[in-house]
């Protein structure tokens, strides 16, 4: 395949930032600030939910599977729609898609805040995924078209990624105060003021962009992309939670058939919705996989880290958020530092080393084992986050730089699909391993009813809930064994996470040799 970076647009972007035709203007940097608002929103939403899970688990007495559905319903729907929404942005206008997505996301955030059951919360989170799919590809593709100079675009992407990390840092702290003061429902209302600001300033500062020659609308390709991604993510989640079963088998079969048809159709069309030939270019496919695995490690760590801090160590949401704050600040710092480092060191070296650093973060938890202190978890998260910050910044740049500017929406959709599928994998796979380990390790004390045994063996939150119904000595015995079982599961999960990050580093080293 022809190297995509030799496209005329890419050649133009490689020229000096001093060239007035491509150098960013003050208005462009102001537009970046506006585009960071939906990024902050999505990252705050993800992190706040992790810290709200213990309260949700206690209020709704959720099973382990339902708790995972509350987390995964949003990225499951979002992942299925990202490629289609990115293509729609290329066709109908990325700024327009951003505004429509913001309006819908804001309204449904209010609906989620007033959910009366775990099932209603899952449904509202799934609906949020529909409009969320309009937000992230639009921001990334707009940056690709606003910042034409490669060095300036790398800096803009580092700031974009830093905005995501800043939202992750802001979420637990602000969300912690809201949870402690007003309950977990209030965290969903954080979206409303941020989206209001975005709706005011986006038309003023962000230029519209779209593909000037998009080709005819291809509804079948849109349907096939959704029919590939949604069943695939559902099958992965079902397999991680329940093992081999009819749902996982049917999902994989539908995804494989739809995916094969989708690829054949794209190869045959003169103007495809998605240029699948990009995946034959090793740096592009390698960067997509790095994006996926980096987010996998981050969300998996946050899933068990938030529960350990609050349900094992007994810390409040604010205290837990403050303990993880240094790690999230490290993510910002390393994302910005990577922009300078990559000027002198090949991207594959930086990305491979960053992923090894993330593996060390997981390894620290696996070595410490049961009884991990808050300080040890904070240090491990800081090490892991340093690697994520560098690898995510550079992998996103490699993805969006591999395509012409007019196709940036489709490339951004692929990047964000990798991100969201990674989020599903992180919580579904590592979360399910943790749940399975917890069930195997818990040694329930005598004296519990059948209902209490069932609830206590599902999740740590369920065990703590049941302990409140029991006489003090029996309740304390239940909490003690449940916390020990949970921590033994963390040790196993962290060890698997470390191995996966080493594999990701090797993959980056092999595939990114020709990256620029």
């Amino acid at each position: 395949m022809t190297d995509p970076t030799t496209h005329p647009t890419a050649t133009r972007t490689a020229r000096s930032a001093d060239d007035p035709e491509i150098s960013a203007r003050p208005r462009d940097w102001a537009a970046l600030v506006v585009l960071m608002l939906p990024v902050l929103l999505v990252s705050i939403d993800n992190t706040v939910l992790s810290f709200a899970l213990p309260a949700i688990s206690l209020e709704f007495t959720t099973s382990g599977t339902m708790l995972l559905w509350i987390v995964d319903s949003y990225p499951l729907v979002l992942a299925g729609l990202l490629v289609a929404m990115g293509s729609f942005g290329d066709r109908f206008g990325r700024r327009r898609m951003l505004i429509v997505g913001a309006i819908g996301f804001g309204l449904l955030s209010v609906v989620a805040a007033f959910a009366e059951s775990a099932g209603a919360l899952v449904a509202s989170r799934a609906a949020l995924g529909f409009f969320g799919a309009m937000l992230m590809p639009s921001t990334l593709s707009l940056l690709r078209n606003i910042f034409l100079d490669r060095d300036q675009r790398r800096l803009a992407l580092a700031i974009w990624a830093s905005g995501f990390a800043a939202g992750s840092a802001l979420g637990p702290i602000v969300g912690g105060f809201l949870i402690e003061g007003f309950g977990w429902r209030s965290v969903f209302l954080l979206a409303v003021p941020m989206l209001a600001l975005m709706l005011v300033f986006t038309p003023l500062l962000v230029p519209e962009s779209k593909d000037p020659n998009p080709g005819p609308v291809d509804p079948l390709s849109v349907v096939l992309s959704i029919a590939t991604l949604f069943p695939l993510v559902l099958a992965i989640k079902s397999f991680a939670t329940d093992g081999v079963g009819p749902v996982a088998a049917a999902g994989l079969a539908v995804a494989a058939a739809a995916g094969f048809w989708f690829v054949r159709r794209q190869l045959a069309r003169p103007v495809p919705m998605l240029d699948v030939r990009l995946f034959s270019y090793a740096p592009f496919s390698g960067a997509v996989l790095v994006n996926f695995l980096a987010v996998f490690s981050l969300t998996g760590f946050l899933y068990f880290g938030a529960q350990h801090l609050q349900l094992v160590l007994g810390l409040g949401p604010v205290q837990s958020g403050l303990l993880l704050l240094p790690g999230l600040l490290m993510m910002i710092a390393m994302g910005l530092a990577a922009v300078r480092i990559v000027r002198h060191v090949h991207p594959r070296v930086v990305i491979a080393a960053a992923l090894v650093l993330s593996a060390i973060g997981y390894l620290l938890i696996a070595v410490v084992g049961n009884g991990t202190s808050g300080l040890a978890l904070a240090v491990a998260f800081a090490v892991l986050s340093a690697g994520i910050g560098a690898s995510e910044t550079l992998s996103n740049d490699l993805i969006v730089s591999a395509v012409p500017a007019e196709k940036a929406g489709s490339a951004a959709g692929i990047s964000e699909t990798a991100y969201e599928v990674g989020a599903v994998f992180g919580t579904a796979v590592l979360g399910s391993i943790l749940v399975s380990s917890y069930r195997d390790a818990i040694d329930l004390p005598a004296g519990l009813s059948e209902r209490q045994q069932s609830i206590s063996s599902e999740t740590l939150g369920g065990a703590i809930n049941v302990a409140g119904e029991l006489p003090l000595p029996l309740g304390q015995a239940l909490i003690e064994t449940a916390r020990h079982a949970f921590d033994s599961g963390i040790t196993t999960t962290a060890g698997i996470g470390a191995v996966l990050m080493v594999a990701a580093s090797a993959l980056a080293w092999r595939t990114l040799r020709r990256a620029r």
Side-chain angles (χ1 to χ4, degrees), residues 150-178:
R150 184 66 179 271
D151 287 338
Q152 289 184 327
R153 183 164 67 249
R154 275 181 172 155
L155 178 58
L157 286 170
I159 295 171
W160 181 87
S162 298
F164 198 94
S168 300
L170 182 65
I173 298 171
V174 175
F177 282 109
L178 289 173

Side-chain angles (χ1 to χ4, degrees), residues 147-501:
F147 293 93
L148 301 179
D149 176 77
R150 184 66 179 271
D151 287 338
Q152 289 184 327
R153 183 164 67 249
R154 275 181 172 155
L155 178 58
L157 286 170
I159 295 171
W160 181 87
S162 298
F164 198 94
S168 300
L170 182 65
I173 298 171
V174 175
F177 282 109
L178 289 173
I179 292 168
E180 291 183 359
F182 305 99
W184 64 264
R185 298 175 185 279
S186 60
V187 301
F188 288 101
L189 299 177
L190 280 174
V192 177
M194 297 183 68
L195 289 171
L197 281 173
M198 198 199 84
L199 289 172
V200 170
F201 289 104
T202 295
L204 298 176
L205 295 173
V206 178
E208 181 62 282
S209 67
K210 57 184 177 180
D211 187 347
N213 301 296
V217 176
D218 184 17
L220 181 56
S221 289
V222 173
V223 171
L224 289 173
S225 71
I226 296 170
T228 301
L229 291 170
F230 185 87
L232 175 63
V233 178
L234 180 61
I236 291 165
K237 186 196 177 313
S238 177
F239 177 78
T241 305
D242 305 316
V244 178
V247 174
L252 285 176
V254 172
F260 179 78
W261 190 359
F262 178 80
V263 171
R264 287 284 302 271
R265 187 170 181 80
Q266 302 315 299
L267 291 173
R269 290 181 64 81
V271 184
M273 186 184 95
L274 175 66
D275 186 0
V276 295
R277 294 179 181 86
L278 283 170
F279 287 98
S280 66
Y281 178 55
F284 180 84
S285 56
V288 170
L289 287 170
V290 165
N291 214 5
F292 160 76
L293 290 168
V295 176
F296 177 103
S297 68
L298 178 65
T299 55
F301 194 103
L302 282 174
Y303 179 80
F304 67 71
Q307 293 187 72
H308 176 82
L309 289 171
Q310 295 182 62
L311 298 181
V312 175
L313 300 183
L315 302 179
V318 175
Q319 292 173 298
S320 301
L322 289 173
L323 269 176
L324 296 186
L325 178 59
L328 295 164
L329 294 176
M330 182 66 73
M331 190 186 300
I332 296 173
M334 285 302 294
L336 295 172
V339 177
R340 290 185 174 274
I341 294 171
V342 81
R343 294 176 185 173
H344 310 288
V345 183
H346 196 279
R348 76 163 177 161
V349 176
V350 180
I351 292 175
L355 292 170
V356 169
L357 199 58
S358 295
I360 293 172
Y362 266 118
L363 191 61
L364 288 173
I365 297 298
V367 169
V368 172
N370 285 352
T372 302
S373 67
L375 179 60
L377 193 141
V379 170
F381 185 63
V383 174
L384 177 134
S385 296
I388 298 301
S391 61
E392 275 288 282
T393 295
L394 298 181
S395 63
N396 275 318
D397 175 62
L398 292 175
I399 291 169
V400 299
S401 298
V403 300
E406 62 269 17
K407 299 296 183 184
S410 296
I414 294 170
S415 175
E416 292 305 321
T417 299
Y419 182 95
E420 294 302 333
V421 173
V424 171
F425 259 99
T427 52
V429 176
L430 294 184
S432 296
I433 291 169
L434 180 59
V435 168
S436 178
S437 298
Y438 172 83
R439 289 172 179 168
D440 292 341
I442 192 167
D443 184 15
L444 295 173
L448 275 63
S449 68
E450 187 174 334
R451 181 190 68 84
Q452 290 171 334
Q453 289 178 15
S454 176
I455 294 173
S456 299
S457 62
E458 281 283 341
T459 64
L460 176 56
I464 292 174
N465 221 12
V466 168
E469 306 171 359
L470 302 173
L472 186 59
L474 183 57
Q476 288 178 335
L478 175 59
I479 290 175
E480 175 106 18
T481 186
R483 285 175 172 169
H484 181 80
F486 185 84
D487 272 357
S488 68
I490 284 181
T491 302
T492 302
T493 304
I496 293 171
V499 171
L500 288 171
M501 287 303 97

Side-chain angles (χ1 to χ4, degrees), residues 46-138:
N46 286 340
T47 312
V48 163
L49 187 64
S50 294
F51 279 80
L53 283 178
I56 294 170
S57 177
L58 293 175
E59 178 168 335
F60 292 141
T61 315
T62 57
S63 66
T65 300
M66 179 60 77
L67 204 61
L68 288 173
W69 269 112
I70 290 172
V71 176
D72 290 340
S73 56
Y74 170 79
L76 177 65
V77 174
L78 191 146
L81 293 171
L82 280 168
V83 170
M85 292 301 184
S87 178
F88 287 156
D90 287 342
R91 170 176 293 279
F92 300 114
R94 293 139 188 160
R95 186 180 69 176
R96 180 178 299 170
M97 292 292 289
L98 187 64
I99 291 172
V100 172
I103 294 171
F105 200 97
L107 293 174
L108 282 161
S109 294
V110 176
V111 173
F114 293 97
E116 292 299 326
S117 67
L121 185 57
V122 169
S124 59
R125 289 266 299 160
L128 278 168
F130 177 84
F131 290 100
M134 300 180 187
L135 296 176
M136 296 301 284
S138 296

